[in-house]
Amino acid sequence: DAGVIQSPRHEVTEMGQEVTLRCKPISGHNSLFWYRQTMMRGLELLIYFNNNVPIDDSGMPEDRFSAKMPNASFSTLKIQPSEPRDSAVYFCASSLGQGARETQYFGPGTRLLVL
Amino acid sequence: AQTVTQSQPEMSVQEAETVTLSCTYDTSESNYYLFWYKQPPSRQMILVIRQEAYKQQNATENRFSVNFQKAAKSFSLKISDSQLGDTAMYFCASNSGGSNYKLTFGKGTLLTVNP
């Protein structure tokens, strides 16, 4: 089975531009997570969806970040406008169900560089 | 709040030897889950092994095993017969059980396997 798919794998953009990151979870998984990884802060949960509904967006850094999950097989994370401090690796992960017992499986990540 | 501490920023081991990576955590919950993820240079986050806190038996996955000491809140990872492909950053993570899906990650240990 295919794992979590993310695109693009690398993105270089200029400050002020809109950036859209995409994720396709593992088929049948109904929980989806967006994480950000930086050297300074490590791995941080940005937002969590269950059954396509945002459950917890307390990790979203500010209004410039937004995430959607229009259906069970697709999610986007958008940054508008982007800033250099948004440079990081963004991971999407999915799990079969909700709750602590479910293992989260990660995608390959999108490395974002904002100049 | 949960905390996960990995006290060894870097470690190295010779190929075919055994190495143990340390992890301690702090939680007030009685049941929770612990994970080790591997992040090779490709940046992909790969699940190595998981442990359910209510299970006494230590989890094993081929060459990977854990030493789970619940009273000491310790969760170390042992890699036997180290291979060059084991070179990666290793992250210890935990959640607080029940409906709490949030993973708290340690800062990571960079393991280098030398030929």
Side-chain angles (χ1 to χ4, degrees):
Chain A
D1 287 340
V4 176
I5 299 172
Q6 290 186 249
S7 64
R9 295 293 305 276
H10 303 274
E11 177 82 24
V12 180
T13 191
E14 293 188 345
M15 183 173 65
Q17 296 298 306
E18 178 179 294
V19 175
T20 299
L21 312 181
R22 298 173 175 78
C23 175
K24 177 179 170 56
I26 293 172
S27 177
H29 284 195
N30 61 12
S31 291
L32 184 139
F33 308 81
W34 282 100
Y35 288 86
R36 179 172 66 175
Q37 184 180 35
T38 61
M39 288 294 293
M40 292 296 293
R41 301 174 66 91
L43 276 152
E44 305 173 280
L45 177 65
L46 299 178
I47 188 168
Y48 159 57
F49 291 87
N50 182 252
N51 290 325
N52 311 337
V53 176
I55 303 299
D56 181 357
D57 64 355
S58 60
M60 296 286 264
E62 49 198 274
D63 292 345
R64 297 184 299 106
F65 285 70
S66 63
K68 293 182 179 179
M69 192 165 185
N71 57 62
S73 58
F74 184 65
S75 176
T76 59
L77 178 67
K78 185 177 293 187
I79 308 172
Q80 166 64 16
S82 57
E83 297 182 4
R85 60 192 168 121
D86 302 330
S87 297
V89 181
Y90 291 81
F91 288 101
C92 177
S94 70
S95 66
L96 187 58
Q98 61 178 336
R101 65 180 300 143
E102 304 296 340
T103 297
Q104 296 178 27
Y105 295 92
F106 285 73
T110 294
R111 184 177 298 208
L112 173 65
L113 177 62
V114 183
L115 302 173
Chain B
Q2 281 199 308
T3 58
V4 176
T5 303
Q6 295 179 251
S7 59
Q8 306 149 314
E10 293 187 39
M11 294 188 72
S12 63
V13 64
Q14 292 299 122
E15 195 175 7
E17 293 187 347
T18 295
V19 64
T20 298
L21 309 183
S22 301
C23 172
T24 58
Y25 59 92
D26 189 18
T27 180
S28 58
E29 300 295 328
S30 59
N31 189 29
Y32 45 89
Y33 298 80
L34 298 161
F35 306 85
W36 279 97
Y37 283 90
K38 166 185 175 181
Q39 187 176 42
S42 66
R43 289 277 181 177
Q44 173 89 47
M45 291 286 287
I46 302 166
L47 177 69
V48 175
I49 199 165
R50 62 173 267 167
Q51 173 81 39
E52 299 176 49
Y54 66 87
K55 288 189 176 179
Q56 300 280 354
Q57 188 172 6
N58 289 326
T60 62
E61 286 289 344
N62 301 314
R63 298 182 295 108
F64 299 88
S65 61
V66 299
N67 183 6
F68 174 47
Q69 302 289 329
K70 191 170 184 178
K73 296 182 178 176
S74 170
F75 181 60
S76 60
L77 174 70
K78 185 172 83 171
I79 306 174
S80 304
D81 185 25
S82 296
Q83 300 176 1
L84 297 179
D86 295 333
T87 293
M89 183 73 85
Y90 287 82
F91 291 95
C92 179
S94 74
N95 59 35
S96 57
S99 62
N100 193 326
Y101 46 82
K102 282 192 177 181
L103 282 175
T104 300
F105 286 87
K107 295 293 186 184
T109 296
L110 178 60
L111 175 68
T112 302
V113 180
N114 298 308

